[in-house]
Amino acid sequence: MSVGLAAPVLAEPGPPEPQPEVSLPPRRPLAQRIGRVFAAVLKLVLLAGFIAPFLWMLSTSLQTSAESSSFPITLIPEVPQFGNYLEAMTSGPFPTYFRNSVIVTVSILVIQLALMIPAAYAFAVYEFRFKNILFGMVLLAFMIPGQVTFIPVYLMMAEWGLIQTLLPQIIPAMTNAFGVFLLRQYFMQIPREIIEAARLDNASEWRIMLRIMVPMSIPALATVVLFSFVSHWNDYFWPLVMTDSAAVRPLPIGIAMLRESEGISQWNIIMAGNVVLVVPILIVYFFAAKHIIRAFAYSGIK
């Protein structure tokens, strides 16, 4: 007896189902695509223009003296010379210069924050006589360059007997008109209902300012602190006018004196000193970059 397997019955194919139409995204106009490419190329060129000097400084700081003065220039050192940094830091009283820079910069930042936060809060929240005139004077102070006023300020400091100390580097920089302006713009964008609600809860004005307004303005404060830190950490002109002793001079003048002592052939040592000068700025910017973008986005400054 034989056992047979039943052949599978194949279903007859039905009519093809209609396929949904796939709509392709509209192609951008040719002029728009060219514009996007041009904008991208322009951004890359600008980025290279900003980064190239820093990379050249970093490369030169690791070169030998012969490589740093050769032509054409050497982009990558054959053997990195990390000893250039040690030589730069031991070519003068750099611990004293560094200490002076830290004392002056930190003192200025602390005093500026203590003065400009209440001033910006008053301009943003209160209504009082001559408010617009006083704020106009703040903006006027922001526009006047320091080179215009350095002679009267120098005479004032000399009359007070403060020359050859750290105080003349701190006192003229205690106020920050740009910081008052930026913080005022930021405070004005905070809803007034929050302030009124805090007042109904019997919160004092100082508590409202320090516990509500300041925490909500961290991006603007970070921006002001970074700008002020960069300005005063790199300040060269004003300390040079006010001092002639290494005991009270800051780091930028120490780097400039390194150039005078080493001569123009020791660019590797000079660049090593400049890298040391720039590193604290990069560290501060690394922590504040996100807040800076938010500050300018919300303050209405484009």
Side-chain angles (χ1 to χ4, degrees):
M1 186 175 66
S2 64
V3 179
L5 296 176
V9 178
L10 299 177
E12 296 183 357
E17 296 182 357
Q19 298 294 329
E21 296 183 357
V22 178
S23 59
L24 298 176
R27 299 190 63 182
R28 298 179 184 276
L30 179 61
Q32 187 175 359
R33 284 182 288 169
I34 294 176
R36 291 171 64 89
V37 173
F38 179 76
V41 173
L42 181 61
K43 291 177 182 177
L44 290 176
V45 171
L46 291 176
L47 179 64
F50 280 104
I51 292 181
F54 177 77
L55 294 180
W56 177 81
M57 179 181 68
L58 185 62
S59 172
T60 306
S61 69
L62 297 174
Q63 297 175 7
T64 62
S65 178
E67 289 176 330
S68 63
S69 58
S70 63
F71 185 83
I73 61 175
T74 303
L75 297 179
I76 301 176
E78 184 175 354
V79 179
Q81 304 293 320
F82 294 101
N84 292 341
Y85 290 91
L86 180 61
E87 184 175 352
M89 293 299 99
T90 56
S91 297
F94 276 88
T96 301
Y97 295 145
F98 189 83
R99 182 202 61 192
N100 293 337
S101 288
V102 171
I103 293 175
V104 170
T105 306
V106 172
S107 300
I108 289 174
L109 292 180
V110 171
I111 297 174
Q112 283 186 352
L113 289 174
L115 294 179
M116 69 183 175
I117 290 176
Y121 181 75
F123 281 123
V125 175
Y126 296 126
E127 295 294 336
F128 51 89
R129 293 183 65 183
F130 309 119
K131 172 182 174 180
N132 293 331
I133 296 177
L134 292 175
F135 188 66
M137 294 175 66
V138 172
L139 296 180
L140 184 63
F142 173 49
M143 299 175 187
I144 297 176
Q147 289 80 1
V148 176
T149 59
F150 86 90
I151 292 180
V153 175
Y154 177 83
L155 296 176
M156 183 186 304
M157 295 296 157
E159 184 177 354
W160 291 351
L162 299 178
I163 305 298
Q164 305 304 332
T165 65
L166 294 177
L167 290 177
Q169 304 176 51
I170 299 174
I171 294 176
M174 292 191 303
T175 58
N176 188 338
F178 170 73
V180 174
F181 167 74
L182 187 62
L183 281 180
R184 172 186 175 269
Q185 297 298 108
Y186 214 88
F187 285 162
M188 291 179 66
Q189 296 189 21
I190 296 176
R192 293 297 297 270
E193 289 78 7
I194 297 177
I195 301 175
E196 297 299 331
R199 287 172 177 169
L200 291 176
D201 290 339
N202 295 324
S204 64
E205 294 298 319
W206 282 101
R207 188 175 182 183
I208 294 173
M209 182 182 69
L210 297 177
R211 303 293 295 274
I212 298 178
M213 304 294 278
V214 169
M216 297 179 70
S217 306
I218 293 299
L221 285 173
T223 304
V224 173
V225 168
L226 177 64
F227 285 177
S228 182
F229 177 82
V230 173
S231 174
H232 298 293
W233 181 264
N234 286 333
D235 195 7
Y236 174 82
F237 174 76
W238 186 249
L240 182 64
V241 171
M242 285 294 171
T243 61
D244 61 2
S245 170
V248 292
R249 282 185 160 174
L251 192 57
I253 296 182
I255 300 298
M257 294 179 66
L258 181 65
R259 176 182 176 179
E260 296 174 359
S261 62
E262 297 291 343
I264 59 175
S265 62
Q266 298 293 326
W267 283 109
N268 53 340
I269 307 301
I270 298 170
M271 291 300 114
N274 280 285
V275 171
V276 174
L277 180 65
V278 169
V279 166
I281 297 175
L282 295 179
I283 294 174
V284 174
Y285 178 78
F286 177 78
F287 289 103
K290 180 178 66 177
H291 298 300
I292 292 173
I293 297 174
R294 291 180 56 191
F296 281 97
Y298 288 102
S299 63
I301 300 176
K302 304 296 184 183

